[in-house]
């Protein structure tokens, strides 16, 4: 096993770290309060190649590997998980889905802009009655010959308001169950496609999450992704890669909180000494450091599996399950180490604690990850 990063990996990690410190840190508290994220910052992430990290340069991407992707995700998430979820959805769920399964025409028309950040993408699977049980799709797409007509509601859609391109999963033939599901490319502004108000959330408040309505939306046949009936498999395949992104987001949130807690513990004095000299605090730091490093190994393993062309369904589920648990537990500890200061916005750890929770919920809850892992374990 070789754990060393290449020069290119170090370069891209440092670029992301520098961007996070200089561009994301200023205003992160205000963005969280106001639930906003300026287009200007999205454009800058596009200019740095973060919006299409793994996409082939012939489609405008950075042509890097999954290891580079998780390194960037970790650095952005240390400072602003709202920025990193935008990056993750655009890369893993939208760009990857189109590059791996789209037609050449779809790639030329949509991927080339998504990979540079000129366009932003959203992935629309969840519905009011189809979350963990994604096969219970109520949204329908009726085949009308040269086009489909989509009707239904999608909820919890990340980048829901700011996107230009929406990959929408819908039922085309109920009788066929999950084999009667398809994925479609829907453009903002198509008649009958409406975006609901922004959700008021606990965490990742800078990321815009919306309910979407589809009322007789006409989508040309050439906007279907893959063969007829490929939609559910498409969703599961893209989500597998998405989980690597969310695992690295969780890792970054945990690492960001740990770095702040370590620094604070060396400065804050109680009972005549820095609090890191009290064993109760020192042992918390030891646990945090160990668990974060373990999470990083799982995240790297999942990314490595993807880069090697190995199946990464299990390793991405394990990385997400574990890293999100570490993020939740260790951000709580980071608040504890900060005492009263941990409870106010100025010290950042309370935001990281709020942001951590979503990593146990989206792109498959922790319970769903355990279903994926246990099936893999039992199947052998
Ligand atoms: C901020 C945010 C952003 C999101 N972004 C997107 C997005 O961009 N695109 C998208 O399509 N979706 C998105 N989602 C939706 C997200 O993926 C779902 O919320 C998630 O999959 C859980 O579905 P649910 O909310 O319907 O919960 P439910 O499925 O109703 O689950 C409720 C609880 O029951 C548990 N549960 C359910 N089934 C089982 C089972 N078989 N065994 C054990 N436990 C079970 C769950 O783990 C959970 O604890 C987002 C959600 C949020 C909150």
């Amino acid at each position: 096993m070789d754990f060393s990063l290449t020069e290119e990996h170090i370069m891209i990690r440092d670029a992301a770290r520098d961007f996070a410190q200089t561009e994301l840190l200023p205003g992160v508290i205000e963005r969280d309060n106001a639930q906003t994220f300026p287009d200007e910052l999205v454009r800058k992430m596009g200019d740095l190649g973060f919006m299409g990290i793994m996409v082939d340069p012939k489609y405008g991407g950075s042509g890097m590997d999954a290891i580079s992707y998780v390194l960037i995700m970790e650095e952005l998430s240390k400072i602003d998980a709202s920025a990193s979820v935008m990056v993750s959805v655009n890369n893993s769920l939208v760009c990857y889905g189109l590059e791996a399964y789209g037609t050449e025409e779809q790639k030329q028309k949509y991927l080339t802009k998504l990979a540079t950040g000129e366009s932003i993408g959203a992935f629309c699977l969840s519905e009011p009655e189809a979350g963990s049980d994604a096969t219970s799709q109520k949204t329908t797409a009726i085949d009308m010959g040269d086009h489909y007509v989509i009707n239904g509601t999608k909820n919890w859609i990340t980048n829901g308001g700011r996107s230009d391109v929406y990959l929408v999963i819908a039922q085309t033939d109920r009788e066929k169950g999950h084999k009667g599901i398809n994925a479609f490319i829907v453009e903002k502004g198509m008649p009958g496609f409406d975006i609901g108000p922004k959700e008021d959330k606990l965490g990742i408040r800078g990321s815009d999450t919306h309910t979407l309505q589809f009322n007789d939306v006409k989508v040309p046949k050439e906007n279907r992704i893959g063969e007829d009936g490929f939609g559910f498999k498409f969703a599961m395949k893209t989500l597998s890669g998405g989980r690597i992104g969310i695992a690295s987001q969780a890792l970054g949130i945990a690492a960001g909180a740990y770095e702040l807690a370590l620094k604070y513990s060396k400065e804050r004095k109680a009972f005549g000494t820095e609090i890191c000299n009290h064993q109760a605090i020192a042992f918390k730091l030891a646990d945090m450091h160990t668990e974060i490093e373990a999470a990083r190994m799982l995240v790297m393993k999942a990314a490595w599996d993807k880069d090697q062309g190995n199946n990464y369904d299990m390793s991405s589920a394990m990385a997400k399950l574990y890293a999100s648990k570490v993020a939740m537990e260790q951000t709580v500890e980071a608040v504890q180490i900060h005492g009263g200061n941990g409870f106010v916005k100025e010290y950042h750890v309370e935001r990281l604690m709020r942001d951590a929770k979503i990593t146990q919920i989206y792109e498959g809850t922790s319970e769903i990850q355990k279903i994926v892992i246990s099936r893999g374990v039992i199947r052998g």
Side-chain angles (χ1 to χ4, degrees):
M1 279 180 276
D2 182 0
F3 292 108
S4 52
L5 299 176
T6 64
E7 262 179 44
E8 196 186 37
H9 288 145
I10 293 167
M11 241 170 60
I12 191 74
R13 184 200 61 195
D14 291 352
R17 188 174 289 173
D18 186 51
F19 173 78
Q21 283 295 335
T22 57
E23 301 280 352
L24 292 180
L25 185 57
V28 66
I29 295 170
E30 291 75 12
R31 293 195 298 273
D32 176 71
N33 280 336
Q35 299 205 87
T36 54
F37 195 86
D39 291 341
E40 175 64 14
L41 280 178
V42 182
R43 256 194 307 279
K44 284 185 179 169
M45 292 197 290
D47 292 345
L48 285 165
F50 296 167
M51 300 309 281
I53 299 159
M54 294 167 288
V55 175
D56 192 319
K58 77 176 176 191
Y59 299 116
S62 303
M64 291 177 183
D65 56 11
I67 298 281
S68 307
Y69 174 46
V70 298
L71 290 171
I72 292 169
M73 281 294 298
E74 180 181 344
E75 294 305 325
L76 301 182
S77 307
K78 281 179 185 174
I79 305 294
D80 189 348
S82 295
S84 68
V85 70
M86 247 176 267
V87 169
S88 184
V89 167
N90 202 66
N91 274 279
S92 290
L93 303 184
V94 182
C95 287
Y96 172 78
L98 284 171
E99 188 169 24
Y101 305 109
T103 61
E104 190 54 34
E105 290 71 32
Q106 290 169 347
K107 290 179 201 178
Q108 292 298 343
K109 187 168 178 193
Y110 299 107
L111 181 59
T112 48
K113 288 185 183 156
L114 287 160
T116 56
E118 192 185 331
S119 291
I120 303 296
F123 179 83
C124 316
L125 174 66
S126 300
E127 298 184 358
E129 291 174 69
S132 302
D133 181 7
T135 54
S136 297
Q137 294 287 307
K138 298 273 188 297
T139 299
T140 55
I142 305 299
D143 190 342
M144 306 296 277
D146 64 339
H147 66 274
Y148 285 88
V149 173
I150 302 185
N151 276 290
T153 304
K154 294 287 171 185
N155 64 348
W156 307 121
I157 304 307
T158 301
N159 300 342
R162 70 177 343 124
S163 285
D164 309 281
V165 177
Y166 297 76
L167 305 189
V168 179
I169 314 297
Q171 191 82 46
T172 43
D173 186 343
R174 201 161 297 288
E175 307 240 301
K176 290 189 184 158
H178 73 276
K179 290 189 175 147
I181 289 175
N182 275 295
F184 301 93
I185 305 167
V186 176
E187 294 176 27
K188 179 181 259 163
M190 281 182 166
F193 173 29
D194 296 316
I195 298 164
K198 187 154 61 177
E199 299 290 348
D200 188 359
K201 307 194 297 289
L202 171 75
I204 56 161
R205 288 170 55 81
S207 159
D208 66 313
T209 314
H210 294 256
T211 293
L212 309 177
Q213 294 286 349
F214 301 85
N215 301 307
D216 290 333
V217 180
K218 263 175 82 171
V219 177
K221 206 142 211 183
E222 64 261 24
N223 281 26
R224 192 185 74 206
I225 303 173
E227 293 296 303
D228 187 22
F230 180 63
F232 189 70
K233 206 164 174 196
F234 171 80
M236 294 303 111
K237 287 279 172 205
T238 48
L239 278 172
S240 233
R243 286 165 188 165
I244 300 177
I246 301 306
S248 55
Q249 181 189 43
L251 169 65
I253 293 170
Y258 163 70
E259 286 171 13
L260 290 170
L262 177 62
K263 183 167 177 286
Y264 187 83
S265 74
K266 290 182 184 175
E267 291 163 0
R268 173 74 181 170
K269 286 190 177 157
F271 297 93
T273 183
E274 289 77 14
I275 58 170
C276 63
N277 295 323
H278 297 300
Q279 197 180 56
I281 300 294
F283 279 14
K284 280 188 201 300
L285 294 168
D287 284 342
M288 289 168 103
H289 187 77
T290 306
E291 290 185 21
I292 290 167
E293 194 59 19
R296 189 172 286 117
M297 292 296 111
L298 282 175
V299 169
M300 287 294 189
K301 169 66 166 53
W304 182 82
D305 274 342
K306 185 164 190 293
D307 287 336
Q308 297 302 308
N310 299 338
N311 183 302
Y312 50 91
D313 293 344
M314 283 264 282
S315 52
S316 62
M318 289 193 291
K320 182 179 183 289
L321 175 68
Y322 186 71
S324 61
K325 177 174 173 284
V326 170
M328 197 64 250
E329 290 174 2
Q330 301 308 350
T331 52
V332 171
E333 289 294 61
V335 170
Q336 190 68 16
I337 290 172
H338 279 75
N341 283 331
F343 209 63
V344 293
K345 299 201 172 194
E346 189 189 336
Y347 284 81
H348 298 284
V349 284
E350 66 81 35
R351 186 186 69 257
L352 292 164
M353 185 182 96
R354 287 186 285 107
D355 287 349
K357 186 59 205 168
I358 192 59
T359 64
Q360 295 184 306
I361 297 172
Y362 57 15
E363 302 202 21
T365 62
S366 295
E367 290 77 12
I368 296 302
Q369 304 312 318
K370 287 186 188 180
I371 293 176
V372 173
I373 298 162
S374 59
R375 278 188 190 145
V377 167
I378 293 161
R379 202 171 43 233

